[in-house]
Amino acid sequence: SILVYTESSKGKIKKASLEAVNYAAEIAAKTGTTATAIIINAGAASLEDLGKAGANKVLHVNNASIKLATRKY
């Protein structure tokens, strides 16, 4: 399986993450495997979006104690 780490912001999956899942799904189809997306602390609607983008499986880690680092530019 091809594993894709995905990110969300303000309740929505980032466009680049959806594109990465779609690309992984295309490669998986050509190589006879599957695409698996992993996401941390996302809403249920976001999980469906990953499936629509081509993920065969979504690994969802939901834990309020996990704080993702953010950078301010």
Side-chain angles (χ1 to χ4, degrees), residues 7-71:
E7 297 179 303
S8 64
S9 178
K10 299 177 184 175
K12 295 181 73 176
I13 303 292
K14 291 185 175 184
K15 182 181 176 187
S17 290
L18 293 173
E19 291 171 353
V21 169
N22 184 267
Y23 185 65
E26 289 177 14
I27 293 171
K30 290 178 181 178
T31 59
T33 189
T34 60
T36 301
I38 184 167
I39 190 157
I40 299 173
N41 294 336
S46 296
L47 303 178
E48 187 175 322
D49 290 341
L50 291 170
K52 288 178 183 176
N56 300 102
K57 185 186 292 186
V58 177
L59 304 177
H60 179 220
V61 178
N62 193 15
N63 188 329
S65 66
I66 297 175
K67 304 277 188 213
L68 299 176
T70 57
R71 290 183 179 168

